[in-house]
Amino acid sequence: MKYLLIFLILTIPSTCLAQHFSGEITYKISIVPKTNELNVDSLKSISQGEITTYKITSNYYKSTYFKNNKETYSYTYDNISKRMYDTYVDRPYITFRDSRKANFDYKPGKIYRDSIVKILGKDCFMVKYESSYGNSTTYYSDNIKVDYETFKGHQVGNWYNKLSEVDGCITMKTITELDTHYEIMEAVKITPMKLSQKDFEIQPDKLIVADFTALDKMVELSPPSEETIKCYQEKTTQGQSKRIDKTEPEACYVSFVITTKGELLFPETYDNPNQKLDIIAMDIIKNCGLSFVPGEIQGRKVSSMVYFPIQF
């Protein structure tokens, strides 16, 4: 019997004995410009940070970004609700996406097992990806794997498919090619630890609303009154003289929350370079009487975040 047990142990596939990773990986994020004309500092100023910590275990993960050692943003995945919660430190609300709704088109990865680099002392093989977001090269270690079946159906970022292609391996380094630059994210520290559902709980003191990508029926602008139309036209006409390029139309985006009752909350301009038009755009949202029909998920009205363009 003793020899039989030894024989069985020796013949069990090594993959059955491997432990799935649970813990935290710290990544450093850097930007490499394609041309000398690119202002790297301006890109860094609008990025979420230069360091991200990534906690992951079966069914859950959380990525937290830091800029100048201060937390700026995090996103958390919950396998029970299938939601991804986006938390910005400076926002009074949290948005959620539906992880089952793909955000970009991805092609299957091309795996190069013979292309090996060492990261944190671990041999890592290379995989190349093509997508509508951008092309990327990622390196994985066979020593850092998760139970990828617990993320089945996770389509945002092509997450489940990517995991299944590499048998659950977790990113050690990713180089993403964008139009003007490369973004590099590389692991600088790995800390195994036991994690539970409690480690991934969402802040209870903030309002939770749907991101527009999670909606089945989008928020709609209600038919405006004559007074609202007049207000909008007068203010956008005033703003035309403040455009950066006087010969071309310019758009400002304002983000806000529309509640299930149609209330408009937390308006703020979104990533607009023209601050003079920002002021007018906010004035229009607050004072021109625009109203909206709430969005819906599975036939029910929900509070959600909206990006609304104002043309000048």
Side-chain angles (χ1 to χ4, degrees), residues 211-235:
D211 183 81
F212 72 94
T213 60
L215 298 174
D216 298 327
K217 183 178 180 182
M218 296 296 174
V219 171
E220 296 178 354
L221 178 66
S222 300
S225 65
E226 291 185 8
E227 186 178 347
T228 293
I229 293 173
K230 182 181 178 182
C231 177
Y232 184 94
Q233 290 177 337
E234 286 178 353
K235 293 182 185 298

Side-chain angles (χ1 to χ4, degrees), residues 187-204:
V188 294
K189 185 180 180 181
I190 299 175
T191 308
M193 63 179 71
K194 290 184 178 180
L195 297 170
S196 65
Q197 180 180 356
K198 192 172 183 179
D199 295 296
F200 302 91
E201 291 179 348
I202 306 302
Q203 294 173 255

Side-chain angles (χ1 to χ4, degrees), residues 282-308:
M282 286 290 286
D283 185 20
I284 290 171
I285 291 297
K286 290 180 177 180
N287 300 312
C288 282
L290 294 170
S291 62
F292 298 84
V293 179
E296 296 182 6
I297 295 178
Q298 296 180 348
R300 296 179 59 184
K301 292 181 179 180
V302 296
S303 298
S304 64
M305 186 183 72
V306 177
Y307 290 105
F308 187 75

